[in-house]
Amino acid sequence: MSESQRPYLHIVRDAADAPPLPGAEHSTDLEPTTQHSAKLEQQVFEGEIVDDEPTPRYLPVRIAGRAVAVQPSPAVRQAAQVTAVAAFTVAQGWHSWAVRAADGLTFGVYRRQIRAAEAMGDREALAEWIDRKERAVHQRHARLMDLPRVALNVAKMLGISLVGALVLLLALSTAMWATGVADFGAVWMVAGGALRLLLTILKYTWFLLPLWMLVGAWREGRRRGARPQWMTPAREREAESVVITPSIVVVALRDLGISPLRKAIQDMGDAGAAMLGPIRIAGCGVEVDVMLPSGVSTEEVEKKRRKLAENLGRHEHELFITKPEAARTVRLWIADSGALDEPIGPSPLVTDAGMRASYASDRAPWGQDLRGDAARISLHQRHLLITGLSNQGKTAAMRALALWLAFDSRVEFRIADLKGVGDWAMFNDLATVLIQGPTDDHVVAATKMVEAGVAEMERRLLAPPGSKFDPLILMVDEAQVAFMCPEKDDAGNPYGGTKATSRYFRAVRKIHNQGRAVDVTLWQGTQDPTDQNLPKLVREGAHIRASLVVGSEEQARMALGDKAIDGGAAPHKLRQGLDKGTVVVAGDGVEMAPGQASITIRTHYVSTEDAAKVAARAKARRAKVTTRSSAAVEEARDLLADLDEVLDADGERIKLSDVPALLRDLAPGWPGYAGLTGVRLREVLTQKHGVRVINKGNVLLLDPADVRRAMAGREASE
């Protein structure tokens, strides 16, 4: 049935008010049943008859056995919005009261100022606020000590006032009785009536107290709170938004507090207009280049980002400052008020049922840049690193790229999810390896998976020239768990750690060094990018470095590098929770303007449920894959058996420092012997296997007979 032929439905409270129905020839047997008419007759609805699921903006209703989709009228939607705004405003008022009460009880204002002074290194301000806090503590203590005396004085005052009132009434009633004006009890009756009236007023006032508290909370919410942009009508948003004009930009720059800039603007004959390039519409905001006068550096303007944003009538997160190719120039991107709080829409992965992907030639649809243009990223032969605080969308952002790449049937995935809560479960039967869990055993399995990737890389590197290979993507989510793992192998080498002895660290570095040449790439996602969680050599080995919100500028530098941060990248300025899914990207693979060091992307959110549906479509286009929970790596070797093989059974003692080379010759591909030294071998032999190592003249010696005795003892115990 075409759209023009689809039956139309209009339900009204009074049948006399019903408008003529378009396509009336189709509406013959659609009288509402009693069950639903009682629910629908209270409001006006418009809609259409459908045979499939109604779209999200309609309410599903069944009338006379037919599926009907009805849409609330504008009045209903407006009433719902007004109710939601009022409830949200009252809640903000209560929150404001609670915060103010907590600050009053705990000296929260002083504590915040002390922390701010410590963060800025301002010793004078720190000493002043500490002194203020101590004075406030002493003053509160003094007030508390005075409370009993104040209460006693109030009680005395009330008692004296009551006695005085009684004496006054007695004198007044006696005087009136003596002069014959009124009876002695008349004054007392009037006083009693006034008292009853006062008690009645207090009674009804008490009943109205909840209403007064709601009104007070609503007023407090209006005064203190800021409602979300989606609750604000479009006309109010337009009224509140400051239109960006050249004069507003110049005044905002003039009032930054930079003396050379202010003086230069005042000395310009055109009031500073020559500094500005054209103001261009750029997505949900505008963009303008500012040529700074001599004596003013771009760093000075960047450091005053918040003040500049407020001068422009915007919040700090609605202003982005970057450095274009031209010298002594800053590029300001100024968002429309509230625009960054609105969603950007679903991912093409979800909406495009015919999605195709090519690892070598296509770019993955990841989201939108600040200009509102589609942000696409090339993953061909590029190592990827995504960092950010917990629960800010790191896994979803990396998973969206993998889901797109899954539509290229040539790509092989090997995934280690060291969080293990099912975020990557949809890659079962899609990835050849899928490890899910946070324990040390899972880290061991993940390390062996990456080492197996190293072995595959080396096999490809030794292949004849001109050989073609399918892309292999190794992914480790929550990689900080791998670096922090304390587990060691039989040879004493740690799986985790940030030193060259770490098996995971060594495997990552090898892939970073040579993997891209043979289409073996590594993607890592990690929280809290520090030297302990993410070593410098591992950070710098990634071609694409993306960061969601992080806690400090130092972490931002570790995530993206100094060049990106010095060029204006500021993931530490993103709002935790509110800017979930927004990434600042630096490096290769993303299209940026010349001279631009980074780009901010608002990524499409693909939920776990939608990700499962997308993965199912990708599986239908690929050959069936059997997913393993561990990598296919060589089994652990028997150290004592290997020593017995490389040592002469009847030979003399041998220098322990010469033994690791013999073991590597015996098993050249096994990672357990790759970084083995004589000192570490001594620790393993003495502590784990009970083999004696002789120290003669500061030279460590190993007797083959001791090795054979240890083997015999082990066999006897078994």
Side-chain angles (χ1 to χ4, degrees), residues 489-521:
D489 60 20
D490 292 340
N493 295 313
Y495 286 96
T498 59
K499 298 181 179 179
T501 56
S502 165
R503 289 178 57 171
Y504 182 80
F505 176 83
R506 288 202 309 266
V508 168
R509 288 296 300 147
K510 288 180 180 179
I511 292 178
H512 278 176
N513 289 337
Q514 297 178 297
R516 66 182 303 271
V518 288
D519 283 328
V520 178
T521 54

Side-chain angles (χ1 to χ4, degrees), residues 131-151:
D131 183 59
R132 288 187 181 185
K133 180 175 176 292
E134 290 178 352
R135 290 202 303 268
V137 170
H138 289 308
Q139 291 171 0
R140 173 179 289 183
H141 178 72
R143 289 195 299 269
L144 291 175
M145 296 299 293
D146 287 342
L147 279 179
R149 182 172 56 83
V150 172

Side-chain angles (χ1 to χ4, degrees), residues 458-652:
E458 293 174 345
R459 183 188 69 80
R460 296 183 180 190
L461 289 171
L462 296 175
S467 300
K468 300 295 183 181
F469 306 103
D470 289 341
L472 173 59
I473 309 296
L474 304 170
M475 287 185 282
V476 181
D477 195 8
E478 305 296 342
Q480 77 278 357
V481 178
F483 285 110
M484 298 172 64
C485 177
E487 194 72 16
K488 295 184 179 181
D489 60 20
D490 292 340
N493 295 313
Y495 286 96
T498 59
K499 298 181 179 179
T501 56
S502 165
R503 289 178 57 171
Y504 182 80
F505 176 83
R506 288 202 309 266
V508 168
R509 288 296 300 147
K510 288 180 180 179
I511 292 178
H512 278 176
N513 289 337
Q514 297 178 297
R516 66 182 303 271
V518 288
D519 283 328
V520 178
T521 54
L522 176 66
W523 297 4
Q524 294 183 98
T526 181
Q527 299 178 16
D528 189 17
T530 63
D531 286 329
Q532 292 72 32
N533 293 340
L534 194 62
K536 183 171 186 272
L537 291 176
V538 175
R539 299 195 302 263
E540 296 180 347
H543 302 103
I544 301 172
R545 298 167 70 171
S547 176
L548 295 101
V549 57
V550 292
S552 65
E553 181 178 339
E554 182 182 4
Q555 289 178 321
R557 290 185 179 277
M558 292 185 179
L560 299 180
D562 292 337
K563 179 181 178 182
I565 301 303
D566 292 338
H572 54 292
K573 296 292 183 68
L574 296 174
R575 301 166 297 168
Q576 185 173 356
L578 297 177
D579 289 326
K580 183 179 292 189
T582 299
V583 296
V584 183
V585 185
D588 195 10
V590 287
E591 296 178 343
M592 290 183 282
Q596 188 173 343
S598 66
I599 183 173
T600 301
I601 298 175
R602 302 172 67 197
T603 61
H604 295 294
Y605 174 65
V606 181
S607 67
T608 302
E609 294 76 13
D610 289 336
K613 297 177 183 178
V614 174
R617 296 206 318 264
K619 292 174 188 177
R621 302 180 187 179
R622 299 168 63 103
K624 184 173 178 57
V625 173
T626 300
T627 300
R628 303 186 305 273
S629 59
S630 61
V633 297
E634 188 176 352
E635 295 295 331
R637 301 186 65 86
D638 187 341
L639 176 61
L640 295 183
D642 288 348
L643 287 173
D644 185 54
E645 185 172 348
V646 299
L647 299 178
D648 187 358
D650 299 325
E652 298 180 352

Side-chain angles (χ1 to χ4, degrees), residues 39 57 84 90 117 128-129 176 215 232 251 270 283 305 319 389 396 413 435 445 465 476 495 536 550 571 604 709:
K39 299 178 181 178
R57 68 179 183 275
V90 170
E128 179 183 354
W129 281 106
M176 294 180 68
V215 174
T232 305
V251 171
D270 56 359
R305 174 185 170 189
L319 170 67
L389 297 179
F413 297 98
I435 301 165
V476 181
Y495 286 96
K536 183 171 186 272
V550 292
H604 295 294
R709 279 193 293 271

Side-chain angles (χ1 to χ4, degrees), residues 162 165-166 169-170 172-173 184-201:
L162 180 60
L166 293 175
L169 288 174
L170 180 61
L172 182 61
S173 60
F184 181 82
V187 175
W188 294 92
M189 291 179 63
V190 173
L195 182 60
R196 284 194 298 273
L197 177 62
L198 178 61
L199 292 176
T200 302
I201 293 174

